[in-house]
Amino acid sequence: MFIATESTQPSFKDFTLIMPAVAVGNVGQLAADLIVSTLNMSRAGYIHTDCLIPMAGNNPYTTCREDAEELHTAAEVYTAAEIKVAVLQIRTPIVQTKSKKFRKLLVSWIKASGFSRTVVLSSSHAYQRDDQQLQGAPLRYLVTPTLLKVSGDALKELGWREMERVSAFPGLTDGSAEPRLYIPGGGITKGLFTDSCAEDLPLAVVLLFCSEGDNIPDAFTLVNHLNDWLHLQDKPSQGPNKWKIPTSWRLLFGSGIPPALF
């Protein structure tokens, strides 16, 4: 259930929604942080649901002392009205038994809000790649038939590589098993994509193969890849695009080593 920050409900008609899947390395969430921080997006509201582990904390995108103590929650929606982009940032894991319910809630809210397209930022275990997935860049995409009609040519021009379907039983060549979509470590990515295909939602998944660890470089790789398509920021005259790191990243790996240890 979406609850607006202001008394009047915001209009998301014709907006592009960007959201992360809670997946391996939290790459999608880190990439969403970079987008919200760089575009200086304003908070439009939050998603209230029992499907996510509850969380509350200080403003992760604080720019001054005045807004540092704002209370923020597990799933919030940010907007940049001038470029018609909204970001749903999900900060906590989905309750394991409520994954299907959460996907249903998301699909219902996306349809009701009138987003022109939805982009899910995700990741998958690098060590579980199929042989064909070891080739080329570690970036893949998926797109629903509804969005393919609109954006298929643009994605083809970019030279992006679609997520390969893999055999359920690698090594067998008798053709008895149909290749399937397999996204290990991807959280709700596959389920949400399948639901969106069934509901005729214009949705794309942009994902990266990665491993757990310091996934900040992976987040930059993913968000730069996304920017090639959506042009969230384009400043060719000023050299490479600059993404603004949010203040909350200073504590990403905890505080420093206490000098008293030595």
Side-chain angles (χ1 to χ4, degrees):
M1 178 182 178
F2 175 75
I3 299 174
T5 304
E6 305 293 335
S7 53
T8 55
Q9 285 285 334
S11 173
F12 297 121
K13 187 167 174 57
D14 298 327
F15 273 56
T16 294
L17 174 66
I18 301 170
M19 60 165 287
V22 182
V24 55
N26 304 110
V27 178
Q29 293 156 293
L30 293 171
D33 265 354
L34 289 171
I35 295 169
V36 173
S37 184
T38 303
L39 300 181
N40 196 26
M41 301 177 84
S42 54
R43 183 169 53 166
Y46 62 95
I47 302 290
H48 178 67
T49 174
D50 62 352
C51 299
L52 295 172
I53 293 174
M55 184 220 74
N58 290 350
N59 184 2
Y61 312 116
T62 180
T63 54
C64 59
R65 186 174 293 179
E66 285 70 30
D67 65 4
E69 295 178 2
E70 288 179 0
L71 191 65
H72 288 250
T73 57
E76 297 185 315
V77 180
Y78 296 84
T79 58
E82 63 280 1
I83 57 171
K84 292 207 165 187
V85 170
V87 171
L88 165 60
Q89 177 61 299
I90 302 171
R91 298 190 174 99
T92 63
I94 300 162
V95 176
Q96 199 168 6
T97 56
K98 297 184 177 179
S99 176
K100 190 173 181 180
K101 179 182 175 183
F102 187 59
R103 294 195 327 254
K104 189 175 179 181
L105 180 151
L106 283 175
V107 169
S108 175
W109 175 65
I110 290 168
K111 289 183 79 170
S113 299
F115 291 107
S116 62
R117 60 188 172 186
T118 300
V119 181
V120 179
L121 303 179
S122 187
S123 49
S124 182
H125 283 300
Y127 74 90
Q128 287 191 257
R129 281 176 290 179
D130 184 76
D131 285 352
Q132 59 187 332
Q133 294 172 339
L134 292 168
Q135 302 170 12
L139 292 149
R140 295 293 187 272
Y141 81 92
L142 290 164
V143 62
T144 61
T146 308
L147 187 57
L148 184 64
K149 296 173 188 174
V150 181
S151 301
D153 292 339
L155 295 174
K156 195 176 288 184
E157 283 177 25
L158 287 168
W160 283 15
R161 191 163 174 172
E162 190 172 1
M163 184 70 170
E164 299 90 346
R165 268 65 174 176
V166 300
S167 172
F169 304 102
L172 293 182
T173 55
D174 60 358
S176 59
E178 195 71 26
R180 58 177 181 149
L181 183 61
Y182 183 52
I183 309 176
I188 64 167
T189 305
K190 179 183 173 181
L192 187 57
F193 176 73
T194 305
D195 292 347
S196 299
C197 288
E199 294 286 338
D200 294 324
L201 271 184
L203 179 139
V205 174
V206 183
L207 68 83
L208 176 84
F209 294 117
C210 71
S211 302
E212 291 279 6
D214 181 358
N215 295 100
I216 289 175
D218 295 323
F220 277 100
T221 300
L222 187 62
V223 80
N224 279 321
H225 189 63
L226 178 70
N227 193 59
D228 290 340
W229 175 31
L230 298 187
H231 306 292
L232 299 171
Q233 58 161 336
D234 276 309
K235 300 172 185 174
S237 61
Q238 299 177 26
N241 292 309
K242 300 291 185 184
W243 299 99
K244 182 183 174 186
I245 294 175
T247 51
S248 54
W249 282 22
R250 287 181 299 178
L251 299 175
L252 206 56
F253 298 103
S255 55
I257 299 170
L261 282 177
F262 308 100

